[in-house]
Amino acid sequence: MAITNEKVAGYAFLEKLFGDSYYPQELIAEGRTILLELCERIERQRPADLAALYALTAVATERFNELDGKMRDAGSEIETVARDEIAVDFHFVAKAYGFPEADIEELVAERDW
């Protein structure tokens, strides 16, 4: 499914992490895919309220938890810079889809990183 939200379609997810040699770039690309798939799910399911949005972001956050394990296996991790970048991107997604009041911490509440 193609992203129809113009703000999202033109957004560079995890921009600060690409090109940083600390992060395995193929895993950062996987993180970008997680975020794009979250957007696709939001467009498909059209959450009616914050609770429904948080349910979708919880699934994506769990996928980032798994990604952190892969990063650790590769000698990296989701640390401070990556945590902030991921959370900011989750918040961007919430705002782009009409949820500006979404709590950034709640969007990634399931995180282990």
Side-chain angles (χ1 to χ4, degrees), residues 45-53 99:
Q45 295 180 16
R46 306 235 182 250
D49 55 24
L50 278 175
L53 176 68
F99 295 95

Side-chain angles (χ1 to χ4, degrees), residues 45-110:
Q45 295 180 16
R46 306 235 182 250
D49 55 24
L50 278 175
L53 176 68
Y54 292 150
L56 295 176
T57 63
V59 172
T61 302
E62 291 288 346
R63 292 181 64 197
F64 270 103
N65 290 343
E66 294 170 11
L67 184 64
D68 186 42
K70 293 179 185 178
M71 290 182 78
R72 288 176 187 276
D73 290 345
S76 184
E77 67 179 304
I78 296 178
E79 44 67 70
T80 304
V81 173
R83 275 194 303 269
D84 290 347
E85 185 76 353
I86 293 165
V88 164
D89 284 355
F90 268 81
H91 198 236
F92 166 80
V93 168
K95 291 188 298 186
Y97 286 103
F99 295 95
E101 72 283 7
D103 181 83
I104 196 167
E105 292 298 323
E106 188 64 31
L107 289 167
V108 293
E110 301 300 318

